[in-house]
Amino acid sequence: MNNKETIDQKLNRLLANEPVVNFTYKKLNGEIRHARGTKKMDVIKEIDEEMVPQGDRKCTDTVIRYFDLDKENWRTVCKSRIISIETVESLDMFV
């Protein structure tokens, strides 16, 4: 049995546990996108309290929903289009 974490599982875990995660994926139009994201609600609340979800919105099993720290809005990425996870950062780096 192979318990090795896939790249999408790792990204999902890091987004849920870290304040800032840098990663790269290929958009549907072929463009390469470098993103800085999180799922940590305390971080999102500090940026814009209205962006904290009020319900448990379900996504399909093929995408990961994350909060884009540069666009300050929710985005999704197709799991199969994740290229790499570059770094996990501290929010203090951007103060």
Side-chain angles (χ1 to χ4, degrees):
M1 184 177 195
N2 187 359
N3 289 331
K4 186 170 183 203
E5 189 176 47
T6 63
I7 193 167
D8 59 283
Q9 290 169 330
K10 182 176 183 177
L11 179 59
N12 212 16
R13 177 179 54 78
L14 290 171
L15 287 168
N17 294 301
E18 300 295 336
V20 183
V21 181
N22 289 299
F23 59 101
T24 302
Y25 62 94
K26 190 173 189 177
K27 293 173 54 172
L28 292 175
N29 66 5
E31 180 183 335
I32 301 298
R33 168 101 162 84
H34 302 283
R36 288 182 41 225
T38 191
K39 288 186 177 184
K40 288 191 64 82
M41 292 304 148
D42 56 330
V43 173
I44 297 164
K45 189 175 183 177
E46 281 183 34
I47 294 169
D48 186 345
E49 201 165 305
E50 291 183 18
M51 295 311 273
V52 175
Q54 299 304 310
D56 188 22
R57 183 176 169 195
K58 298 290 182 191
C59 283
T60 68
D61 290 342
T62 60
V63 299
I64 295 173
R65 189 168 184 241
Y66 71 96
F67 188 80
D68 186 309
L69 294 164
D70 296 319
K71 302 289 184 182
E72 295 186 358
N73 210 338
W74 289 95
R75 300 276 187 260
T76 58
V77 56
C78 292
K79 292 177 180 180
S80 63
R81 297 184 158 274
I82 300 166
I83 297 171
S84 64
I85 302 168
E86 286 82 29
T87 57
V88 175
E89 300 173 352
S90 164
L91 282 177
D92 296 340
M93 295 175 71
F94 301 99
V95 177

